[in-house]
Amino acid sequence: MSHFPRLLATCLLLLLSGPGTALAEGVEVDHRVEARVEGDHGHFTVYRTLRNPDPRYVEQSHWFQLPQGGTVHGFALQAQGQWTEGLLLAAPEAERRYEALRRKGTAAPRTLASLSGYGEGVELKLWNMPPRGSVTVRYDVRSRLMHARGRSSFTYPLPLSEQDPRPTLTVAPPSPGEELRIEPGESPRGLDILEASWKAEPLDGIDARAGLAPWGTGTLGFLQVRAGRLSEAPARARVVFVVDASRSVAARGLTRQLSIAADYLQLLPDAVVEVVLFRRSAERLFGRFIPASEWKAALAAVPAARLETGNGSHLDEGLRLAQQVLSEGSGPARILALTDGQLRRAFEPVPPAPSTSAPETAVHLLWISNRGNYVPPHEKLSGPLVRESCGWRLPPHEEKNLEPLVRPVRWEQVHVEDEQGTRLKELGALGEGDAFQTWLPSPETPLRQLVLRGLRWGCPSSIPVEIAPALSEDLARTAYAWNISRRYGDESPPSEAITLLAKTGNWVSPARSFLAVPPGAGPSSARTRALPDGVSGGVVGGIVGGTILCPVAGPRQRADSPKFGEELTRLLQPALSACPGQGTSLQVQVETTGNEVVEVEVRGAASQTQAACVREAAWALTLPPLFDDGFPGSYTVTLSP
């Protein structure tokens, strides 16, 4: 784990000490946390015992990390055998009173404390810590639950220093008999945490709710989105696998594709299936739809010669034939195209047909990486294979989980809009079990209606956002410190909004602080280490920022060399003698991907017959090992009599 967050927190603590004060080193000796879940929130009661090893009264300052998104709603101090409840005041007033009690006076020294908010943590100041004595503080924290991977959770930070005691965390289960996990983890800022999680409440579809509160002439909103199970697998689906039988995938790659197809059918056991093989042209493997239960036997009955690989990577021909196959019936359908992505440059997505434009149909792509990842797939594979169709692109490293190709399990490019269609927030991807929580500040225009939009299998989809009265009423108490959308990124509402929320919701913030003053406390004669006003402290250490530039590799191409053209000329020269139309020179343009011919064009032939003969000779070539590097290339050779 990076040490940068620890260094940042340490520097922040030094800065918070402020000018005019030298603070004594204190020791934390105990750290206990009692946590419970109520509705959508985690509640923490934190007890921390601090010791003064010095033989004199001193002032101490401590920086406490809060649980992610936490706000402090209660504070108390136990000192000299007595508990004192803290009073929440405007920050300037709390500071004025604290400074007044630090003056020299005649009262007996009593320990007092202030708790101030600074973003994701709080600063505790203790005045008149008793010599070689201890005090305990208690503070109450509230944070919103997080949801990811089908589990609900909250986190609690571990100490920044290994010398501080690890917290003893006890959690009351959300419900009797609930299986609770408490595991170490890492926060978005790289800090160590404890995470308590449990199975989330079942949910179908997407639950999108928002709380709204007036803010100036506009609205301050808090959006809460949770995704449950987004869809179900289709019943009695028709499945067409478009399988790459080109030479670049080789026999091993073809076998692998058919194995993936078998795994896919395990998720649709009542489906019927056909296979379309594509090389230079496309052909049906079975000639009919067969039940998924007959897949293994039907495949074993196919003659081996029909599964040999050859020149040509005409995926578009395979897609057109798949559309024709699907026109034979009706009902939910899936096309799954499998390819190594090494296609001819002229490849274009095919026009839609009624069989692939139906809402219950999807056209998916699974890229089979056959030569590692150093040869990128054709650039046109980044979009829909059939124009205007819905579909998903699954990269090689995800092929063990084929369910996203059976039914939609996530939305992409999720964002929220107001009633005028203005985008208020970009949220990213939302998968089953995931959740977003984020602020929607709109200080100029009131928000009345919200819509959640995204891409479902690449096609637009939307649902209305419920404006929830309960969430609106609770808005002021909503955690603000960190954005907890899928556990990354930092975001909080504008500082003016924080001030408004903290005032309404009664929690510690830069604008409001707790002050705990026991009865009888006042300016005392205790000898402390506080320096006279005007003496400035300093900051030890520093952080140097910078940018690390990393080279990004672009698509790799075969190096230019005359040897490739020379070899093609040698291989094709006999065709000029064997084909009709003697005495004429002609040019042959050959496009390759590795050792595979993917396109041939003949120019300058004496006749169509000669051109066709030379073209077929080029398509029949078996390229030597010289070409077997996987890289694409294009060559124009001249054949002379």
Side-chain angles (χ1 to χ4, degrees):
M1 185 187 76
S2 170
H3 294 288
F4 178 78
R6 300 182 186 278
L7 178 61
L8 181 61
T10 302
C11 291
L12 180 59
L13 177 57
L14 290 168
L15 288 170
L16 292 177
S17 302
T21 305
L23 301 173
E25 248 185 76
V27 178
E28 184 170 4
V29 296
D30 188 45
H31 185 175
R32 295 180 293 116
V33 184
E34 298 172 359
R36 67 188 189 280
V37 175
E38 293 182 6
D40 290 335
H41 299 87
H43 295 261
F44 307 84
T45 302
V46 184
Y47 297 88
R48 306 183 82 142
T49 300
L50 309 158
R51 184 173 178 273
N52 171 23
D54 201 279
R56 294 178 294 179
Y57 284 94
V58 298
E59 180 182 28
Q60 287 185 358
S61 178
H62 299 267
W63 169 258
F64 296 151
Q65 290 285 124
L66 292 178
Q68 189 169 332
T71 48
V72 177
H73 293 261
F75 174 69
L77 166 71
Q78 185 189 48
Q80 293 147 330
Q82 179 181 2
W83 277 102
T84 302
E85 294 293 328
L87 181 64
L88 189 61
L89 303 169
E93 175 64 13
E95 184 178 4
R96 184 189 67 78
R97 294 191 188 186
Y98 181 85
E99 291 300 323
L101 291 167
R102 291 174 75 247
R103 298 192 185 113
K104 189 173 182 178
T106 58
R110 301 292 305 275
T111 305
L112 56 101
S114 74
L115 192 72
S116 306
Y118 293 88
E120 72 273 20
V122 288
E123 183 195 21
L124 171 70
K125 282 188 177 181
L126 297 166
W127 178 256
N128 280 340
M129 277 283 286
R132 294 195 169 93
S134 300
V135 301
T136 297
V137 294
R138 182 194 74 227
Y139 53 95
D140 301 311
V141 183
R142 185 175 187 264
S143 71
R144 287 198 169 272
L145 301 182
M146 294 173 287
H147 304 279
R149 303 180 300 277
R151 298 186 68 81
S152 299
S153 65
F154 60 75
T155 64
Y156 190 84
L158 292 174
L160 296 173
S161 171
E162 295 180 356
Q163 297 177 351
D164 292 333
R166 287 175 64 92
T168 302
L169 177 64
T170 58
V171 182
S175 58
E178 186 75 61
E179 179 189 356
L180 191 70
R181 299 179 194 167
I182 301 179
E183 302 168 309
E186 189 175 280
S187 77
R189 295 193 175 188
L191 301 176
D192 294 333
I193 57 174
L194 288 175
E195 179 181 62
S197 70
W198 56 96
K199 190 175 180 180
E201 289 292 326
L203 172 66
D204 289 328
I206 296 177
D207 177 26
R209 292 178 289 155
L212 304 179
W215 181 33
T217 60
T219 304
L220 180 66
F222 184 80
L223 176 68
Q224 184 170 286
V225 180
R226 182 185 162 207
R229 189 172 177 85
L230 296 180
S231 62
E232 298 298 331
R236 297 178 295 279
R238 296 170 300 139
V239 179
V240 179
F241 295 111
V242 180
V243 173
D244 192 339
S246 64
R247 182 165 288 158
S248 62
V249 303
R252 181 181 177 183
L254 180 55
T255 300
R256 182 178 166 204
Q257 293 175 73
L258 296 174
S259 175
I260 291 172
D263 293 339
Y264 184 88
L265 292 176
Q266 294 294 317
L267 302 174
L268 292 173
D270 62 348
V272 293
V273 58
E274 170 65 296
V275 174
V276 169
L277 298 174
F278 69 90
R279 304 176 185 87
R280 177 185 173 188
S281 58
E283 64 172 320
R284 296 178 66 162
L285 186 62
F286 302 131
R288 62 184 178 89
F289 276 112
I290 65 169
S293 59
E294 298 178 11
W295 169 266
K296 186 174 181 180
L299 199 58
V302 174
R306 297 200 57 204
L307 295 176
E308 291 181 355
T309 59
N311 282 326
S313 286
H314 290 37
L315 172 60
D316 43 357
E317 297 297 329
L319 293 169
R320 288 189 183 94
L321 182 53
Q323 288 181 316
Q324 295 176 23
V325 171
L326 287 179
S327 66
E328 298 173 4
S330 60
R334 301 286 183 268
I335 292 178
L336 176 54
L338 302 105
T339 177
D340 63 357
Q342 303 308 297
L343 310 179
R344 56 178 178 159
R345 289 180 300 180
F347 167 76
E348 291 285 348
V350 302
S355 57
T356 49
S357 299
E360 69 272 19
T361 301
V363 182
H364 299 307
L365 169 69
L366 201 164
W367 172 36
I368 305 298
S369 178
N370 204 36
R371 294 178 178 269
N373 291 324
Y374 67 90
V375 180
H378 195 287
E379 60 182 8
K380 293 295 178 64
L381 295 180
S382 61
L385 299 179
V386 176
R387 294 194 291 269
E388 303 174 21
S389 69
C390 299
W392 184 248
R393 296 176 298 280
L394 197 68
H397 64 271
E398 294 184 18
E399 69 182 46
K400 296 300 182 183
N401 179 23
L402 299 173
E403 191 170 10
L405 305 179
V406 172
R407 62 182 187 86
V409 298
R410 59 192 282 143
W411 282 22
E412 296 290 325
Q413 300 180 28
V414 181
H415 60 278
V416 62
E417 297 179 358
D418 62 15
E419 60 266 35
Q420 282 82 37
T422 303
R423 290 197 180 202
L424 300 176
K425 186 72 66 173
E426 302 290 338
L427 302 177
L430 180 68
E432 291 184 338
D434 287 345
F436 290 109
Q437 295 183 13
T438 189
W439 292 95
L440 302 172
S442 180
E444 298 179 358
T445 307
L447 298 177
R448 296 183 178 87
Q449 296 179 7
L450 299 172
V451 178
L452 194 72
R453 299 190 186 277
L455 298 179
R456 179 180 180 269
W457 269 356
C459 289
S461 192
S462 65
I463 61 168
V465 176
E466 176 191 357
I467 307 302
L471 191 56
S472 298
E473 293 174 5
D474 187 63
L475 193 62
R477 302 182 67 197
T478 298
Y480 79 92
W482 289 358
N483 172 33
I484 48 181
S485 343
R486 300 186 74 249
R487 307 181 180 209
Y488 59 82
D490 286 339
E491 180 183 306
S492 61
S495 57
E496 310 94 295
I498 292 176
T499 303
L500 171 65
L501 294 172
K503 182 177 180 180
T504 308
N506 292 324
W507 40 264
V508 172
S509 73
R512 295 171 73 79
S513 304
F514 272 111
L515 184 66
V517 181
S524 70
S525 58
R527 301 292 295 174
T528 73
R529 291 186 176 182
L531 296 177
D533 291 341
V535 177
S536 299
V539 176
V540 180
I543 300 173
V544 179
T547 301
I548 300 176
L549 299 177
C550 300
V552 178
R556 297 179 63 183
Q557 299 287 330
R558 179 179 290 157
D560 290 336
S561 173
K563 61 184 178 181
F564 294 106
E566 293 169 358
E567 183 65 15
L568 281 172
T569 302
R570 184 186 69 80
L571 293 171
L572 286 172
Q573 188 65 43
L576 191 63
S577 301
C579 292
Q582 299 297 320
T584 303
S585 297
L586 51 77
Q587 288 185 327
V588 184
Q589 184 172 340
V590 180
E591 183 184 342
T592 67
T593 57
N595 64 340
E596 171 192 7
V597 176
V598 294
E599 192 68 284
V600 177
E601 184 179 350
V602 178
R603 294 193 293 265
S607 65
Q608 291 293 331
T609 302
Q610 184 190 40
C613 181
V614 174
R615 185 181 304 110
E616 291 304 315
W619 274 115
L621 287 177
T622 298
L623 296 179
L626 171 66
F627 290 83
D628 193 13
D629 56 9
F631 294 121
S634 183
Y635 313 94
T636 300
V637 300
T638 300
L639 305 181
S640 301

